[in-house]
Amino acid sequence: MMALKDYTKEQLVTLKAELEKEYNEFKAKGLKLDMSRGKPGADQLALSNALLDVLTSKDFEQGSVGSSEMRNYGIITGIPECRKLFSDLLGVSADNIIVCGNSSLNMMFDYITQCMLTGSDGTPWKDQGKIKFLCPSPGYDRHFAICQYYAMELITVPMTGEGPDMDVVEELIKDSSVKGMFCVPKYSNPTGETYSRETVDRIAKMKPAAKDFRIIWDNAYIIHDLKDETDHLDNIFDILKKYDNEDMVIEFTSTSKITFPGAGVACLAASDKNIEIIKNRMQFQTIGHDKINQLRHVKFFGSVDGILRHMQLHKAILAPKFDAVINEFDALLSEYEIASWTKPNGGYFISFDVMPGTAKRVGQLCKEAGVTLTTVGATYPYGIDPQDKNIRIAPSFPPVDELITATRLLCICVKLAATEKLLG
Ligand SMILES: Cc1ncc(COP(=O)(O)O)c(C=O)c1O
């Protein structure tokens, strides 16, 4: 057992030759494995197949079912039954919920677009010169991409294990061109961390110089537990109320990783004032979303308890996949002290840090041997990881045996890249 940094040059040369041999043996297998996609596996999708049976033509023989005519235009804020379901899930009054279509990311894009073109509450952001957005990182590349699309300046805020570094955030928001921040407060993508009580409190009481500052509170993994030991996240709207600051946050979630990604239901929660502004904008966007799918989800789950029971089934499939990757890392990498990895209680990712300056090389080695990782760098604004060390591992999609093979290859690549670096 010896850390790689303690190897002599001769030992490193020997190790490198051994690793190259192992690597080439893997390469010769002609693998085609993928650990890049944060999406449910086929067995998880099958858990929701009955969603397709809960409403049939028979249900509609006597007219519509549910609180209103589901088959026609209308009800822009979503059907009351579904608003109630999300209200119970988020702990926010149903009046403060808008249920939309199939994607929360789509809703976030629309909201940022609204801020750009007509303002969050006041002057449009596009008319305020160069604006900036805070991006806690490692984070979700599609959040960063929205800001980049609108040519905002993206500012990296380090994650601490308990959410964004609030000392940094509190300093940055003194600048009135800083207009907002993306947050994935529970089982964050990709670090898996959950914002602590203190972090949520410090966020809720922020008084940014920009009066039209908005936080996108993307609660995508709100109930996506992997362990019996679960993380607790305070309800942001309860805390915001204490500081009379409810207009600062728009919360989003969806059933994408609960039922069918791309065919689920998404919603937002916001203050009375923000709901009015958003509703007013939406009137020009649509005559209503897919109410039948909203009703299907209500019938399928019945209640939040129904959703929680369903999440236990996901957990039973996902937990062994996370364990498989983590066990390989523990067994194959620990002694070398060249990498670290998260062991999250929930979410969809393992955040994997390799020796600084080697992550891109690891991605390249894996690719050449047939294993695709999330594009290295993607977890940072502009796709540039300043230390070139973070890799997002997505264990949900491949079967366990493929995951183990891919992780073994990944470990060889991590060691090989580190050895190459140490040898200069
Ligand atoms: C943090 C986060 N937000 C949003 C999404 C996408 O959500 P939706 O399918 O509701 O658009 C993802 C998907 O991976 C995600 O990781």
Side-chain angles (χ1 to χ4, degrees), residues 157-205:
V157 174
M159 296 291 275
T160 61
E162 300 188 0
D165 185 330
M166 289 308 296
D167 291 341
V168 174
V169 171
E170 284 160 2
E171 212 35 55
L172 288 167
I173 58 170
K174 291 178 184 164
D175 173 356
S176 63
S177 67
V178 172
K179 290 295 174 195
M181 169 161 78
F182 271 108
C183 294
V184 183
K186 190 150 186 201
Y187 302 137
S188 202
N189 175 353
T191 64
E193 71 201 74
T194 297
Y195 293 15
S196 67
R197 280 224 141 93
E198 190 200 332
T199 303
V200 175
D201 193 72
R202 284 174 76 176
I203 289 176
K205 67 174 170 221

Side-chain angles (χ1 to χ4, degrees), residues 156-304:
T156 299
V157 174
M159 296 291 275
T160 61
E162 300 188 0
D165 185 330
M166 289 308 296
D167 291 341
V168 174
V169 171
E170 284 160 2
E171 212 35 55
L172 288 167
I173 58 170
K174 291 178 184 164
D175 173 356
S176 63
S177 67
V178 172
K179 290 295 174 195
M181 169 161 78
F182 271 108
C183 294
V184 183
K186 190 150 186 201
Y187 302 137
S188 202
N189 175 353
T191 64
E193 71 201 74
T194 297
Y195 293 15
S196 67
R197 280 224 141 93
E198 190 200 332
T199 303
V200 175
D201 193 72
R202 284 174 76 176
I203 289 176
K205 67 174 170 221
M206 284 178 2
K207 296 287 177 205
K211 298 293 167 241
D212 52 356
F213 184 96
R214 288 293 178 271
I215 292 171
I216 307 295
W217 195 253
D218 180 1
N219 220 339
Y221 300 105
I222 180 168
I223 41 165
H224 299 56
D225 302 318
L226 290 167
K227 305 254 176 75
D228 293 336
E229 183 195 346
T230 60
D231 289 3
H232 168 82
L233 174 70
D234 277 343
N235 179 345
I236 184 81
F237 281 102
D238 288 347
I239 320 286
L240 289 164
K241 218 171 273 166
K242 258 183 21 193
Y243 299 109
D244 197 19
N245 219 3
E246 289 158 280
D247 294 338
M248 187 173 63
V249 173
I250 315 284
E251 180 170 15
F252 296 85
T253 196
S254 78
T255 67
S256 285
K257 309 274 170 66
I258 301 175
T259 57
F260 301 135
V265 180
C267 78
L268 64 77
S271 68
D272 294 343
K273 184 176 175 183
N274 281 325
I275 290 282
E276 270 321 296
I277 298 172
I278 292 166
K279 216 160 62 178
N280 181 53
R281 178 253 298 171
M282 281 175 55
Q283 284 174 38
F284 298 93
Q285 273 189 293
T286 179
I287 321 173
H289 289 95
D290 181 349
K291 294 189 290 297
I292 293 177
N293 200 33
Q294 293 176 8
L295 184 63
R296 244 188 236 124
H297 278 74
V298 171
K299 288 196 78 171
F300 183 58
F301 290 122
S303 65
V304 168

Side-chain angles (χ1 to χ4, degrees), residues 38 102-106 108 140 142-143 184 189 218 220-221 253-257 261-262 265-266 349 392:
N102 68 326
S103 160
S104 60
L105 187 70
N106 189 170
M108 291 176 235
Y140 181 38
R142 290 181 189 271
H143 286 162
V184 183
N189 175 353
D218 180 1
Y221 300 105
T253 196
S254 78
T255 67
S256 285
K257 309 274 170 66
V265 180
F349 304 101
R392 188 184 82 163

Side-chain angles (χ1 to χ4, degrees), residues 36-82:
S36 71
R37 295 173 296 182
K39 54 189 202 182
D43 41 1
Q44 286 180 270
L45 299 177
L47 298 174
S48 300
N49 282 349
L51 182 72
L52 303 172
D53 303 329
V54 293
L55 278 181
T56 68
S57 58
K58 285 207 169 18
D59 293 305
F60 291 91
E61 272 169 5
Q62 309 299 320
S64 188
V65 283
S67 60
S68 54
E69 178 53 83
M70 298 289 159
R71 298 163 298 177
N72 218 330
Y73 279 140
I75 320 192
I76 200 161
T77 48
I79 63 169
E81 300 94 319
C82 204

